Amino acid sequence: MALLTKEIEEKLQEQSYLGSEIDQQDVICKVYNAFGPGCWYLINQDPEEGDYLWCIASFDGKLWELGCVLKSELESVKVGDQPLIQLDLNFQQMNAAEAFNRLYNGEQL
């Protein structure tokens, strides 16, 4: 099963031309490690190379940074035959700069 829906990927790709300008983009979705630390707030996806996702990420819940993650890596991590990385179905799309600032200041989204 794919981590991201076609609709999510289309929204991510629509913002790709903005690159790393997070104040002009939204976080489209959140994916997280269902069994431990690790959280990625996805901002855009390269339409030419769909494996590259631009995101806000943290592995300890404290140090948040902007960077790239490979979709294939997120999808490949499993516990038995179950995917380790899950899509947060309750996350509401929001401005990426606002999300980064809130996360950096210790808020949970």
Side-chain angles (χ1 to χ4, degrees):
M1 185 174 133
L3 177 63
L4 305 175
T5 66
K6 182 178 171 99
E7 178 184 23
I8 288 172
E9 290 198 64
E10 287 172 355
K11 287 181 178 181
L12 290 167
Q13 290 174 14
E14 287 173 4
Q15 299 188 132
S16 68
Y17 74 95
L18 293 166
S20 62
E21 298 294 326
I22 65 168
D23 59 323
Q24 300 174 30
Q25 299 182 71
D26 284 343
V27 172
I28 302 300
C29 67
K30 171 186 170 185
V31 296
Y32 63 97
N33 178 340
F35 297 100
C39 190
W40 300 263
Y41 292 85
L42 305 182
I43 300 170
N44 69 47
Q45 180 183 39
D46 184 336
E48 300 295 320
E49 178 50 68
D51 203 26
Y52 291 96
L53 300 167
W54 185 254
C55 66
I56 303 167
S58 177
F59 297 103
D60 64 4
K62 297 175 189 163
L63 178 62
W64 292 94
E65 57 187 51
L66 292 166
C68 184
V69 64
L70 297 178
K71 182 176 83 164
S72 59
E73 286 183 4
L74 294 175
E75 291 178 330
S76 70
V77 183
K78 303 206 183 304
V79 174
D81 63 346
Q82 297 297 313
L84 180 68
I85 307 303
Q86 304 279 318
L87 177 64
D88 183 343
L89 300 175
N90 296 313
F91 181 78
Q92 298 293 316
Q93 184 173 325
M94 66 183 305
N95 178 268
E98 178 186 344
F100 183 82
N101 290 331
R102 289 174 60 185
L103 291 164
Y104 190 80
N105 289 317
E107 282 188 58
Q108 297 289 321
L109 302 181

